[in-house]
Amino acid sequence: MSESRKAGSVILANLAMFNESVMLFEDEIQPAFWEALSKAIEDWVNNPEWIGESDKYIKISPLKWRICSSEEEGYTAATFDWSFSEGNQRSYYLADLCGFGQDEMGFRFCVKHDAFGGKSKWNKFCKALPVSISSGLQALGFNDEGLGMFFIPIKLNPNLLVNAWENEDYEEIMQPVVTVLEKIKQSIPIFDELFSLAKAAGLARV
């Protein structure tokens, strides 16, 4: 019998408990951890040097990356967007965050291509990036995804899940979130160098 058949047999033999567990997890447990994660990000971003959103779609950016003009209210040249590493959303995101799912979650550095003359120009420019850019970011925990995109994963300690839930205290389990945010802060000079290289190469606006 395959492992999936065995797992299915266990579920069916305990269907009532499984159904109740799933509803509790989806309706109460996972939303509680999501709220705590959003709050950790919001608290960290709450300073004059950063801007961001921490509701349904989480994205943050240094205030100095904001571009304003007379034609538009303003936008940022790049953001760090909360996302999946591979885009696989089959697992519960709490399982992904704890290393039990099928994907990783974290922040992805994403540029606004029109701030750099368009996607084609940006992609061509990034094919010849100095090794120092990638190596510097990798030293901070970023994965180089190519074409100027970098992803830094977050992993929560699964051993702290029960204690956080039972005591309604999520500060300790969310510490890896704060650690990654600090790594992002440390990465800003490297990304500033990336922008300077783009400007020197003739890419527009920044």
Side-chain angles (χ1 to χ4, degrees), residues 5-197:
R5 287 286 175 181
K6 291 178 182 177
S9 296
V10 172
I11 291 172
L12 293 172
N14 301 275
L15 186 56
M17 183 179 68
F18 177 78
N19 182 63
E20 184 177 348
S21 299
V22 169
M23 289 192 297
L24 176 63
F25 187 84
E26 293 182 348
D27 295 342
E28 298 185 37
I29 297 177
Q30 185 160 257
F33 281 91
W34 178 257
E35 182 179 352
L37 186 146
S38 297
K39 184 178 185 303
I41 297 172
E42 183 178 352
D43 289 347
W44 188 89
V45 174
N46 188 25
N47 70 72
E49 297 180 354
W50 287 80
I51 54 177
E53 305 171 12
S54 60
D55 295 324
K56 184 177 181 180
Y57 301 104
I58 299 176
K59 55 180 60 184
I60 62 174
S61 177
L63 181 61
K64 66 179 180 178
W65 287 359
R66 190 167 182 82
I67 300 172
C68 296
S69 71
S70 57
E71 291 83 18
E72 56 195 333
E73 182 179 342
Y75 67 100
T76 53
T79 55
F80 297 94
D81 297 357
W82 180 263
S83 60
F84 291 89
S85 174
E86 302 294 336
N88 188 336
Q89 302 182 30
R90 293 186 62 192
S91 300
Y92 287 111
Y93 77 78
L94 187 55
D96 286 326
L97 281 169
C98 292
F100 299 140
Q102 297 174 313
D103 206 343
E104 291 182 305
M105 298 189 74
F107 285 97
R108 177 173 283 109
F109 170 78
C110 300
V111 302
K112 301 297 189 293
H113 291 113
D114 60 346
F116 299 94
K119 187 174 182 179
S120 295
K121 288 185 177 181
W122 173 259
N123 289 349
K124 182 178 180 180
F125 160 73
C126 287
K127 289 179 180 178
L129 282 183
V131 175
S132 60
I133 296 291
S134 180
S135 62
L137 292 170
Q138 287 174 339
L140 291 172
F142 283 87
N143 300 323
D144 186 349
E145 299 182 320
L147 299 181
M149 296 183 68
F150 297 87
F151 179 83
I152 184 166
I154 293 174
K155 184 175 180 181
L156 304 183
N157 185 348
N159 296 324
L160 300 177
L161 287 171
V162 174
N163 184 69
W165 169 254
E166 290 182 345
N167 295 288
E168 299 182 67
D169 184 351
Y170 303 93
E171 183 175 356
E172 184 178 6
I173 195 172
M174 292 300 163
Q175 188 56 45
V177 178
V178 178
T179 298
V180 164
L181 290 169
E182 289 296 327
K183 293 291 186 182
I184 289 174
K185 183 178 180 180
Q186 294 174 40
S187 75
I188 300 308
I190 301 176
F191 286 115
D192 284 344
E193 181 184 354
L194 176 64
F195 293 162
S196 295
L197 292 172

